[in-house]
Amino acid sequence: MLERTGAMTGTVQRHALYCRGLVYQVGERRLIDGIDLDFLPFGISTIVGYNGAGKSLLLRLLHGLLEPSEGAVLWNGKPLSAKARHHQAMVFQKPVILRRTVLDNLRFALASRGIRDRKQALAALERVGLSGLESRPARLLSGGEKQRLALGQAIGCNPDVLFLDEATASLDPASVHAIEQIVLAASAEGTKVIMVTHDVGQARRLSDEVIFIDQGRILEQAPAGSFFASPSTRHAAAYLEGRLPETHQHPSQN
Amino acid sequence: MQDFASELKGALTQILSMDSGFVEIIGLSLRVSLSATAFSCLLGLVLGAFLAVSKFRGRQGCIILLNALMGLPPVVVGLFVYLNLSRAGPLGWLGLLYTPTAMIIAQTILITPIVAALSRQVLEDLHDEYREHFASLGLGMPAQIRAVLWDGRYSLITVALAAFGRSVAEVGAVIIVGGNIEHLTRVMTTAIALETSKGNLSLAVALGIVLLAIALAVNAMVASLRLSASRLGYA
Ligand SMILES: Nc1ncnc2c1ncn2[C@@H]1O[C@H](COP(=O)(O)OP(=O)(O)OP(=O)(O)O)[C@@H](O)[C@H]1O
Ligand SMILES: [Mg+2]
């Protein structure tokens, strides 16, 4: 399904992340239902799908925050370990904010990567447009500012893989643009970005490839251009047009 | 009623005079209870943090036991420490019975479960909130414990104040292991018990007023801590 273009073959691969036969089951429900996935080794891969499709769960499994019920996530050919997580970073759908100042939140995250330089933390804050807020209690930030703080932490860690779960969901248009530039820059510097978004425009602007999932299964994985021009499944086409698919009322109601 | 009024007047005179015996009693009370609070925080926070962050078989049992120990009757703790420290007891050779040290030991035993159980709850809630962030950062257990201890600082100070309040107001344990010896182990609560039984009500009332004032001050500190924590969004 995945078409690799000529330009892709020359790029040096910093890592490889893929999964085989991934299942995440709670009770009888297979929330992630047998996923085999090889990401493009570079650039931005975007996961799209309806609410409840399993996008956030898939990111958590890929990042090793959840243990799969079956199958495995592989990092450079080896099962995911805690050590692998030091090469990755994730921005959650609901960012977790410590009871400290903005700068201390950032420094806490960077310290986990052995980065203790205050200047580097300040630079990361500047990158996400939070300069001047460094001594604010971070939990008093607005939703969008919290989101930026989380992104600043993740990017400041200079990860090989960056997971973004609807990282721009509560941002104003100017901030969305700023964050997209940051993500593109990180990607250009060699960070592999795997993101979830409901913003189709954003997916179009940023993605190198798109993965469409529905009810815990991959229905389509395609280069961004061809996915948006002509999705090969009815479900993906319906999603792009903003309709619920005909075959089921709503993904979570079955 | 006339009696009461005169006792009250006597009590106020007593407080205002600040004579050395009176001040000595209050000083020893504070020294014993603050020491016990410090030791119980050392032990209780470590235990509470460990229980909050770790997963092991029997953890739930430990938590239930700890919660039950919060209600330890002071006299039972006093008796237990007495049996251990009395001359015939296993630790009798230390010669600690009827010393302030014995009182500190008894109160530490009394309030360590309070610190451990309350801080366990505080830290576990925090840790649940932070779990995925910590996992994503790949933090080890010691780093996680340090982080939740720091982030729970406001609530944990409140826990320490509650423990101090309990120890300073307690009489059953200190009277058994301290013996209420004048100039040596007499503290506010034991003095109140003794002076009341001797009919020296003005001294008892004076000490009672001081105890109440301490309780009020502790609660005022708790309230102001709560306020500043919520102002910072740290509640
Ligand atoms: N721990 C859990 N136990 C039971 N069900 C769960 C659990 N976690 C998630 N689910 C269910 O799994 C499904 C997928 O959840 P997930 O959070 O991955 O959805 P999503 O694709 O990210 O949706 P959204 O676009 O709304 O964020 C949902 O139906 C959710 O209710
Ligand atoms: Mg989600």
Side-chain angles (χ1 to χ4, degrees):
Chain A
M1 233 189 294
L2 177 65
E3 237 176 70
R4 300 196 186 243
T5 64
M8 298 170 178
T9 39
T11 315
V12 181
Q13 203 171 313
R14 262 167 85 174
H15 54 76
L17 182 68
Y18 53 99
C19 61
R20 292 288 174 269
L22 206 60
V23 172
Y24 186 74
Q25 187 163 354
V26 175
E28 290 294 288
R29 282 183 74 196
R30 286 163 82 92
L31 301 168
I32 294 293
D33 193 5
I35 285 187
D36 295 315
L37 190 51
D38 287 272
F39 289 98
L40 271 187
F42 55 88
I44 301 180
S45 300
T46 304
I47 300 169
V48 296
Y50 292 101
N51 289 136
K55 305 179 293 297
S56 295
L57 283 178
L58 180 57
L59 281 196
R60 285 190 164 81
L61 287 161
L62 291 170
H63 190 29
L65 299 181
L66 290 174
E67 277 295 310
S69 315
E70 292 169 30
V73 176
L74 296 145
W75 169 262
N76 295 330
K78 281 182 242 135
L80 211 58
S81 64
K83 218 173 149 206
R85 231 168 288 143
H86 282 278
H87 298 274
Q88 308 178 345
M90 178 154 171
V91 177
F92 293 96
Q93 200 167 351
K94 276 194 252 146
V96 176
I97 308 287
L98 304 180
R99 286 153 175 80
R100 308 172 184 209
T101 63
V102 170
L103 184 61
D104 285 346
N105 264 274
L106 211 121
R107 296 188 73 182
F108 182 78
L110 298 198
S112 74
R113 299 293 185 274
I115 306 171
R116 296 184 193 280
D117 183 15
R118 192 184 146 92
K119 283 210 200 82
Q120 248 170 296
L122 287 169
L125 279 182
E126 178 154 14
R127 242 174 128 177
V128 292
L130 290 179
S131 298
L133 299 186
E134 54 267 12
S135 49
R136 282 268 184 93
R139 290 167 67 87
L140 298 182
L141 294 179
S142 77
E145 289 166 339
K146 283 180 185 161
Q147 205 65 270
R148 290 182 199 207
L149 174 57
L151 191 75
Q153 290 172 0
I155 288 197
C157 290
N158 189 26
D160 290 340
V161 179
L162 174 60
F163 295 103
L164 302 173
D165 194 351
E166 296 184 41
T168 58
S170 48
L171 299 183
D172 60 61
S175 307
V176 170
H177 179 75
I179 297 294
E180 287 180 1
Q181 296 310 308
I182 295 165
V183 172
L184 283 170
S187 164
E189 283 164 25
T191 295
K192 169 70 197 170
V193 178
I194 299 175
M195 63 175 219
V196 169
T197 183
H198 284 300
D199 180 343
V200 175
Q202 178 172 72
R204 271 180 210 273
R205 287 191 294 277
L206 302 186
S207 312
D208 292 299
E209 71 168 339
V210 177
I211 295 135
F212 180 78
I213 79 171
D214 193 36
Q215 300 185 62
R217 297 202 186 117
I218 293 185
L219 293 193
E220 194 162 345
Q221 179 178 19
S226 68
F227 179 83
F228 290 110
S230 56
S232 64
T233 57
R234 248 181 347 165
H235 284 69
Y239 175 85
L240 287 176
E241 287 166 22
R243 289 185 284 118
L244 289 177
E246 311 88 42
T247 44
H248 55 90
Q249 283 258 298
H250 191 277
S252 59
Q253 293 174 350
N254 60 341
Chain B
M1 246 16 243
Q2 212 176 8
D3 256 9
F4 183 74
S6 67
E7 297 299 356
L8 196 59
K9 195 160 152 254
L12 291 176
T13 322
Q14 174 72 258
I15 291 174
L16 293 175
S17 78
M18 294 298 269
D19 75 67
S20 65
F22 184 67
V23 171
E24 186 184 60
I25 291 174
I26 298 171
L28 184 65
S29 260
L30 293 179
R31 182 158 78 82
V32 167
S33 293
L34 286 173
S35 306
T37 305
F39 288 126
S40 70
C41 281
L42 229 57
L43 297 169
L45 286 180
V46 171
L47 184 58
F50 174 74
L51 283 174
V53 172
S54 62
K55 291 270 165 289
F56 61 92
R57 273 180 62 109
R59 174 176 170 277
Q60 204 53 43
C62 289
I63 290 172
I64 291 171
L65 182 68
L66 207 55
N67 286 339
L69 290 179
M70 279 209 288
L72 269 180
V75 283
V76 173
V77 174
L79 181 61
F80 171 79
V81 174
Y82 178 91
L83 291 175
N84 277 282
L85 294 184
S86 67
R87 200 163 303 155
L91 300 176
W93 54 274
L94 289 170
L96 287 176
L97 197 62
Y98 304 133
T99 65
T101 307
M103 298 156 78
I104 293 172
I105 292 172
Q107 291 199 337
T108 301
I109 293 175
L110 184 71
I111 61 178
T112 295
I114 297 178
V115 174
L118 296 180
S119 65
R120 197 274 310 165
Q121 187 65 58
V122 165
L123 297 173
E124 190 172 327
D125 291 348
L126 267 184
H127 190 251
D128 281 346
E129 187 185 327
Y130 292 170
R131 185 187 307 275
E132 287 206 312
H133 186 45
F134 287 172
S136 175
L137 294 176
L139 293 188
M141 178 90 87
Q144 298 192 24
I145 289 183
R146 255 178 288 139
V148 290
L149 280 174
W150 177 249
D151 272 40
R153 58 199 177 279
Y154 284 92
S155 312
L156 295 177
I157 294 173
T158 304
V159 167
L161 286 172
F164 170 75
R166 163 111 162 135
S167 69
V168 80
E170 166 284 318
V171 58
V174 280
I175 208 161
I176 295 179
V177 301
N180 192 29
I181 303 166
E182 196 169 12
H183 304 310
L184 185 61
T185 60
R186 183 162 299 174
V187 292
M188 286 189 274
T189 52
T190 58
I192 291 173
L194 176 77
E195 300 304 331
T196 305
S197 66
K198 285 199 318 199
N200 183 2
L201 290 184
S202 58
L203 180 55
V205 172
L207 288 169
I209 290 172
V210 172
L211 256 183
L212 270 176
I214 289 174
L216 267 174
V218 165
N219 278 291
M221 275 191 263
V222 168
S224 87
L225 268 173
R226 286 237 170 90
L227 195 65
S228 26
S230 71
R231 256 198 221 124
L232 293 169
Y234 294 162

